[in-house]
Amino acid sequence: MKIRITLALFLILTVLSAPLWGATIRQDLVRAGTLEQVISKNKLRIGFSTFVPWAMKDKQGGYTGFEIDVAKQLAADMGVEAVFIPTKWSGIIPALLTGKFDIIIGGMGITPARNLKVNFSDPYEYSGMSIVANNKLAAGYSDFDAFNKPDVTIVARIGTTAATVAKKYLPKAQIRLFDDEGQALQEVLNQRAAAMVSSQPFPEFQALKYSGKLFLPLAGKTFTKEPIGFAIQKGDVDFLNFLNNWVRVKNADGWLQERYDFWFTTQDWKNQLE
């Protein structure tokens, strides 16, 4: 009889204390989350890589570009300092997963394969793939069939969706990959590759800059549409909720569109570059 009474009291106490345990666990999870840690440390560590006009070196030795504006505004709205950590694109997701930074803000396309490793916010922008080609090596080329041949060399940046779509749309061509967009572009300028696949508007800007050597075989049209989102570590629901709502607010008040128009439809920013 005493055993039954004791067991009954234990069960009652367990049931009554369960909400307290649950509340404690929730509080611990919040404290362990990235959002709380960023606020407590007063720093948002941002992983990125350079892409024109997403992020570029400026005259002062810092960085400028669409993503830099986005990252600075995000940090400002959180009331913390933006700390930029340049990282090679091929290793940017592993660096996030090992805690080198808190978030990737670097024109990262949302893909199922990447989403297996990281959580993505709602898209804050969209990009698309385009082609810039060498005037001599690709003279007369105006569609994918012209480039999709074994004797045609195509370049792209390693680890990017540009590399993925180059292999998908041009399976017969020779695909060469480089760590840096500048290296890949030099291959086209120096006639070691017929064309480069990259995110808009990089091809368009290069065709304008090197009009005597390069052209746009697809007349400037993109052949993919790619959602761009913030990437963070998995399981961080509070941070993800904050980022999704930040995107909604900045879309609603027109700030994201205004910044996009400045960086992608003008070149008024060129005097900022080194």
Side-chain angles (χ1 to χ4, degrees):
M1 185 66 176
K2 290 182 178 179
I3 295 176
R4 291 179 179 176
I5 294 173
T6 301
L7 181 59
L9 289 172
F10 174 76
L11 291 173
I12 291 170
L13 289 171
T14 300
V15 171
L16 291 174
S17 61
L20 297 175
W21 293 346
T24 300
I25 292 172
R26 284 194 296 272
Q27 290 170 359
D28 289 343
L29 287 173
V30 169
R31 283 193 292 269
T34 304
L35 185 61
E36 187 69 18
Q37 291 188 37
V38 166
I39 294 172
S40 65
K41 294 177 182 178
N42 197 37
K43 290 182 180 180
L44 178 65
R45 300 172 303 156
I46 300 148
F48 74 103
S49 193
T50 53
F51 293 88
V52 177
W54 304 84
M56 304 164 287
K57 274 284 190 74
D58 64 21
K59 290 179 179 178
Q60 286 72 43
Y63 294 91
T64 190
F66 176 70
E67 297 287 13
I68 305 302
D69 281 0
V70 169
K72 286 180 177 178
Q73 187 61 51
L74 177 64
D77 289 340
M78 295 174 74
V80 301
E81 177 189 358
V83 178
F84 293 98
I85 303 174
T87 307
K88 281 190 175 182
W89 189 252
S90 57
I92 201 165
I93 287 180
L96 172 69
L97 299 181
T98 56
K100 185 177 179 181
F101 34 78
D102 305 306
I103 187 172
I104 296 173
I105 304 179
M108 177 165 280
I110 300 171
T111 69
R114 287 172 178 163
N115 212 170
L116 291 173
K117 300 176 182 178
V118 301
N119 276 349
F120 280 106
S121 71
D122 291 342
Y124 59 89
E125 196 45 73
Y126 290 85
S127 183
M129 292 299 150
S130 185
I131 297 179
V132 62
N134 183 277
N135 283 345
K136 293 182 179 179
L137 295 184
Y141 291 12
S142 59
D143 56 31
F144 276 108
D145 289 340
F147 290 96
N148 192 28
K149 297 175 182 177
D151 60 343
V152 174
T153 298
I154 305 294
V155 294
R157 189 173 186 176
I158 192 169
T160 63
T161 47
T164 302
V165 299
K167 294 175 182 177
K168 176 182 177 181
Y169 286 90
L170 303 166
K172 296 179 182 178
Q174 298 182 45
I175 308 297
R176 296 177 59 205
L177 305 178
F178 295 83
D179 277 330
D180 182 80
E181 279 190 322
Q183 293 174 332
L185 180 66
Q186 283 301 316
E187 296 297 296
V188 183
L189 288 170
N190 295 331
Q191 299 185 40
R192 290 191 289 266
M196 177 181 178
V197 176
S198 185
S199 297
Q200 190 186 46
F202 182 84
E204 288 74 9
F205 287 161
Q206 303 314 311
L208 287 173
K209 184 176 181 179
Y210 302 102
S211 58
K213 295 183 176 181
L214 305 178
F215 75 105
L216 300 172
L218 303 182
K221 295 180 180 178
T222 59
F223 56 94
T224 64
K225 185 177 182 181
E226 183 179 12
I228 306 297
F230 302 125
I232 61 173
Q233 291 197 31
K234 282 186 167 294
D236 207 336
V237 293
D238 285 335
F239 196 20
L240 189 62
N241 177 67
F242 177 85
L243 294 172
N244 286 340
N245 285 316
W246 187 88
V247 171
R248 292 187 184 102
V249 170
K250 293 304 175 183
N251 270 325
D253 68 14
W255 185 86
L256 281 168
Q257 186 63 52
E258 185 272 327
R259 289 291 82 200
Y260 178 88
D261 290 344
F262 176 77
W263 289 105
F264 288 85
T265 66
T266 79
Q267 292 197 43
D268 295 343
W269 42 264
K270 287 186 70 176
N271 62 350
Q272 299 181 29
L273 305 184
E274 62 178 1

